[in-house]
Amino acid sequence: MKYWLMKTEPDVFSIDDLKNHPQKTSPWEGVRNYQARNFMRDEMKKGDKVLIYHSNCKPPGVAGIAEVCKESYPDHFAWDKKSKYYDAKCDPQNPRWFMVDVKFKKMFKSTVSLSELKEVKALESMLILRKGNRLSITPVTKKEFEIIEKMGD
DNA sequence: GCCAACGTTGGC
DNA sequence: GCCAACGTTGGC
């Protein structure tokens, strides 16, 4: 089993939105970055654990936990002209973008903020803490996941 | 709102 | 294939 961190802007889609979805699941649509796509398409498996990270908000940080409940399939929003994730260069016969579905697991009592994460020595190699990192999906180690989960409880 | 860091685009 | 210009991300 693998561990991941997925960023989302809570104004657009928050962990509360995930919790309130039918069956508490949702497709993770709209990823338009090849590296992040490759993680979803090739490496994310059912049952993998996911830290849900809220970005572009106060405070930024990990808000809770989800898990992968459906493995990759084409992101059909790419050819939905009404979607804000529409990509004119995409051909449904040859999908370019993929997504997985995630299921809500739990909300932290309070968000484990970015500044708190930065204070933990054992987390210093996390990609999310690197300056200028913009990748919206990053792998995390089991240890990192467990430390953050404990911080949130 | 600012701006540094990054990914993508497109001319050459 | 290089790289400048551009658009986006995201913390502050």
Side-chain angles (χ1 to χ4, degrees):
Chain A
M1 184 205 291
K2 291 197 173 81
Y3 299 85
W4 306 93
L5 180 146
M6 294 170 105
K7 278 189 217 173
T8 181
E9 298 189 30
D11 288 350
V12 180
F13 186 81
S14 72
I15 193 162
D16 298 273
D17 296 328
L18 179 61
K19 188 182 176 185
N20 293 330
H21 262 231
Q23 279 83 52
K24 300 187 178 187
T25 70
S26 172
W28 201 263
E29 78 273 19
V31 171
R32 297 290 178 266
N33 167 282
Y34 289 104
Q35 233 183 314
R37 176 206 66 181
N38 291 348
F39 283 139
M40 287 200 289
R41 189 189 58 188
D42 306 332
E43 296 196 48
M44 295 182 84
K45 299 297 174 197
K46 198 169 175 176
D48 284 4
K49 306 268 196 180
V50 180
L51 298 167
I52 301 294
Y53 180 94
H54 284 173
S55 67
N56 232 326
C57 60
K58 287 182 180 176
V62 179
I65 292 173
E67 75 176 31
V68 177
C69 63
K70 182 176 176 184
E71 292 175 16
S72 75
Y73 58 105
D75 181 344
H76 52 80
F77 294 94
W79 51 84
D80 177 355
K81 279 189 176 160
K82 290 192 290 293
S83 168
K84 66 178 198 166
Y85 302 117
Y86 176 67
D87 181 345
K89 292 190 287 292
C90 286
D91 169 13
Q93 300 308 119
N94 183 22
R96 174 182 303 193
W97 303 116
F98 290 78
M99 58 189 176
V100 298
D101 284 3
V102 297
K103 184 180 179 72
F104 173 85
K105 295 305 280 187
K106 73 173 169 190
M107 187 95 78
F108 286 161
K109 286 200 182 73
S110 65
T111 294
V112 177
S113 71
L114 180 59
S115 60
E116 288 174 83
L117 296 175
K118 283 177 175 169
E119 285 169 16
V120 182
K121 184 79 178 161
L123 300 178
E124 68 184 2
S125 59
M126 283 187 77
L127 290 168
I128 191 77
L129 301 181
R130 294 234 185 109
K131 193 176 178 183
N133 177 56
R134 294 168 44 180
L135 194 54
S136 66
I137 300 176
T138 48
V140 302
T141 66
K142 183 169 193 275
K143 196 169 179 186
E144 289 162 347
F145 184 95
E146 285 169 353
I147 290 170
I148 294 170
E149 181 170 24
K150 192 171 282 182
M151 289 169 78
D153 279 341

